[in-house]
Amino acid sequence: MHSFHFTPFQSLAAALIPNLLQTTDGSHDHSHLLRVWNNAKAIHAGEGGNLELLCAAVLLHDCILVPKDSPQRNQASQLAADKAIHILQTLHWPADHIAIVASAIRTHSYSAGLTPTSIEGRILQDADRLDAIGFTGIARCFYTAGRMNSQLYHADDPTASSRPLDDRSFALDHFPQKLLKLAINFTTATGQALAISRAQTLQSFYEGMLAEITTS
């Protein structure tokens, strides 16, 4: 990943990129950061906020990764925020700017269940969630399911009508368990508007797949 992708903050990106994980998780790799940055810029154009702080938050929001099937998953954003504080301190950033970035990272994760307190935090959360829905979200869902050795769906009850949803075992369960709920929880008006078409894509795919697998 090149720093020029983060224009006009190339020098900041150049300083932060060496601190990023070299991960084999294709759903949280450098291309994910670029997509979240593009989402964040689109939302920032409508909502305002400090774009430089937002750039730092985007670059560092996944600087610590905890696997989806780990019992510590809900701690991932806190661990990433703690590491971000250390990294930005070494760059001699002002304490108040570091606090905003760290708070944005701490509250961005769905699994953390926290509400952002700054506009930068709200934008980061919405930008990250946009990447979890739509066509990209579908691709990431099934990619992650494959990494976790999950099945595509429960053969006897794909809609979970008589069993608890279990998205660690069945990829399709991740749609009603999480993905189909994401679009109603955006915290910026711009992010919510961008989410509408992606949410419709998710719903169409889910209904279409159910139609295919339940046809007798």
Side-chain angles (χ1 to χ4, degrees):
M1 181 169 62
H2 298 288
S3 59
F4 66 77
H5 289 300
F6 294 88
T7 301
F9 308 110
Q10 299 97 315
S11 59
L12 172 62
L16 295 182
I17 287 172
N19 295 281
L20 304 182
L21 293 175
Q22 298 298 319
T23 179
T24 60
D25 182 355
S27 66
H28 289 94
D29 57 5
H30 289 175
S31 63
H32 167 67
L33 297 181
L34 294 177
R35 293 192 302 271
V36 174
W37 174 235
N38 287 332
N39 292 340
K41 287 189 294 183
I43 299 172
H44 171 269
E47 302 291 332
N50 187 313
L51 192 58
E52 184 178 23
L53 301 189
L54 189 56
C55 181
V58 168
L59 279 163
L60 297 174
H61 80 280
D62 282 337
C63 64
I64 295 288
L65 284 179
V66 178
K68 290 284 188 182
D69 54 354
S70 169
Q72 294 182 309
R73 178 61 187 168
N74 63 354
Q75 300 175 34
S77 58
Q78 179 63 60
L79 295 172
D82 292 343
K83 183 176 179 180
I85 290 171
H86 173 73
I87 292 170
L88 295 175
Q89 285 175 338
T90 65
L91 298 179
H92 307 293
W93 267 41
D96 57 335
H97 286 187
I98 294 175
I100 292 171
V101 173
S103 176
I105 294 171
R106 185 179 302 112
T107 58
H108 88 274
S109 172
Y110 180 86
S111 57
L114 301 174
T115 301
T117 57
S118 68
I119 184 58
E120 293 80 12
R122 292 168 61 200
I123 292 174
L124 176 63
Q125 187 181 85
D126 283 4
D128 189 56
R129 291 185 180 183
L130 276 175
D131 201 49
I133 59 178
F135 291 109
T136 303
I138 294 168
R140 291 179 69 201
C141 173
F142 286 97
Y143 170 86
T144 300
R147 286 175 60 90
M148 294 169 56
N149 295 316
S150 302
Q151 295 176 272
L152 290 179
Y153 56 90
H154 190 291
D156 297 324
D157 187 5
T159 61
S161 59
S162 58
R163 63 176 178 85
L165 289 167
D166 178 11
D167 62 358
R168 294 189 180 186
S169 300
F170 309 106
L172 200 59
D173 280 18
H174 196 52
F175 285 74
Q177 189 161 339
K178 178 182 177 180
L179 298 184
L180 295 174
K181 299 176 182 178
L182 284 179
I184 62 173
N185 292 316
F186 280 65
T187 60
T188 68
T190 306
Q192 184 68 69
L194 292 171
I196 292 174
S197 64
R198 298 195 189 198
Q200 291 171 341
T201 297
L202 282 180
Q203 188 68 43
S204 295
F205 175 87
Y206 180 68
E207 293 175 359
M209 186 167 177
L210 285 175
E212 288 184 358
I213 64 180
T214 57
T215 299
S216 56

